[in-house]
Amino acid sequence: MSAGLARAIATFCYVGLIPLAPGTFGSLAAIPVAWGLHWAIGFPGLLAATVIVFGIGYWATLVATSAGGDPDPSEIVIDEVVGQWIALMPLSWGLWQMGAAAHVFPWPGWVGGFLLFRLFDIWKPWPVSWADGLHGPLGVMLDDVLAGLMAAFVVAVAAAVAHGVLMR
């Protein structure tokens, strides 16, 4: 596979080349794709796509950083895509479990998932900071996976509180 394909993947179709806040734009670009996956094939599709994109993103990051230099260049945003999708999984799962119409877009949860993921990705509390310190393709991908898991946990708790699940 070519370096050009790896760059296109690593930058999420060149979204990462936006000069201001590429990670935020990568996360934003991930949301309509996640919603489209949920709409088309439900939670299982989003979960499968996340696992596949993690693997492809690891490869693309490996190729994109193989020349040396910065081990985590800001234009690589495929890691933000994976982390953002993880942060949105509780919402997709909940909608799928409820049998909600596929076109339903519960925007407060999706906005919250976006904001929480960006918070944990930028703040980098432990273990996100630990993974970030690994450097290399695994560190690039893993810190966003962990930030996504942290955001997903908070999203799930917030949804449970908002829908009275924890009050029963």
Side-chain angles (χ1 to χ4, degrees):
M1 292 198 194
S2 74
L5 177 60
R7 186 167 193 220
I9 293 168
T11 61
F12 198 53
C13 298
Y14 306 104
V15 169
L17 299 180
I18 295 172
L20 182 64
T24 298
F25 281 104
S27 296
L28 279 171
I31 293 172
V33 178
W35 182 75
L37 287 165
H38 171 80
W39 185 79
I41 45 185
F43 172 75
L46 179 59
L47 179 61
T50 302
V51 171
I52 291 166
V53 170
F54 177 88
I56 293 169
Y58 177 87
W59 168 81
T61 301
L62 179 67
V63 172
T65 60
S66 65
D70 186 354
D72 190 0
S74 61
E75 67 264 12
I76 295 178
V77 297
I78 195 67
D79 53 330
E80 272 84 7
V81 172
V82 170
Q84 186 63 70
W85 288 357
I86 291 170
L88 299 174
M89 280 189 190
L91 303 166
S92 177
W93 182 81
L95 291 168
W96 184 65
Q97 285 295 307
M98 289 179 4
H103 67 278
V104 170
F105 185 77
W107 66 268
W110 291 68
V111 170
F114 167 75
L115 293 174
L116 286 164
F117 171 68
R118 291 308 298 147
L119 172 72
F120 291 126
D121 187 30
I122 293 166
W123 176 29
K124 298 200 184 309
W126 190 89
V128 178
S129 59
W130 166 80
D132 188 55
L134 293 175
H135 302 297
L138 183 60
V140 170
M141 297 299 294
L142 192 57
D143 77 314
D144 289 277
V145 166
L146 294 172
L149 288 169
M150 293 174 83
F153 175 77
V154 176
V155 164
V157 170
V161 169
H163 296 286
V165 174
L166 293 179
M167 303 303 172
R168 293 182 185 159

